Amino acid sequence: MKKTFEISIPTDWNDVTIEKFMNYSQAVKELKDDKEIVVKTISTLCSVAEEVVEVMKMKDLKKIQENLQRLISKPVNKEIITKINFFRNS
């Protein structure tokens, strides 16, 4: 029996919490394998368990990744991230 579910794909950085952004940035920086990067990106930015993403069909993963790539290619407000890192480290 097929299971269906909805995934909310952020289209703008305003849709992504700072925590999600930090988790995403840290995770993809450490990964080398393309499939692992796709799984971690979808899992982190779309709030879907990695176990769920890993069993998704490749065509679905590619479609989601294409949408996320539009987001990733947009500039991020680095000033906010810098301020948060500054306050967190002090």
Side-chain angles (χ1 to χ4, degrees), residues 21-37:
F21 175 78
M22 300 294 279
N23 289 340
Y24 159 76
S25 296
Q26 187 66 32
V28 296
K29 181 171 50 173
E30 297 171 355
L31 297 174
K32 303 287 185 230
D33 180 66
D34 288 343
K35 171 119 172 133
E36 288 180 11
I37 292 171

Side-chain angles (χ1 to χ4, degrees), residues 22-69:
M22 300 294 279
N23 289 340
Y24 159 76
S25 296
Q26 187 66 32
V28 296
K29 181 171 50 173
E30 297 171 355
L31 297 174
K32 303 287 185 230
D33 180 66
D34 288 343
K35 171 119 172 133
E36 288 180 11
I37 292 171
V38 169
V39 169
K40 188 58 104 171
T41 299
I42 294 171
S43 172
T44 305
L45 295 178
C46 298
S47 301
V48 178
E50 285 185 42
E51 298 79 27
V52 173
V53 177
E54 289 172 349
V55 297
M56 292 172 68
K57 293 180 180 178
M58 186 55 73
K59 69 176 183 132
D60 295 331
L61 291 175
K62 285 181 180 180
K63 190 170 188 171
I64 295 168
Q65 184 64 15
E66 285 172 10
N67 284 298
L68 287 173
Q69 196 58 46

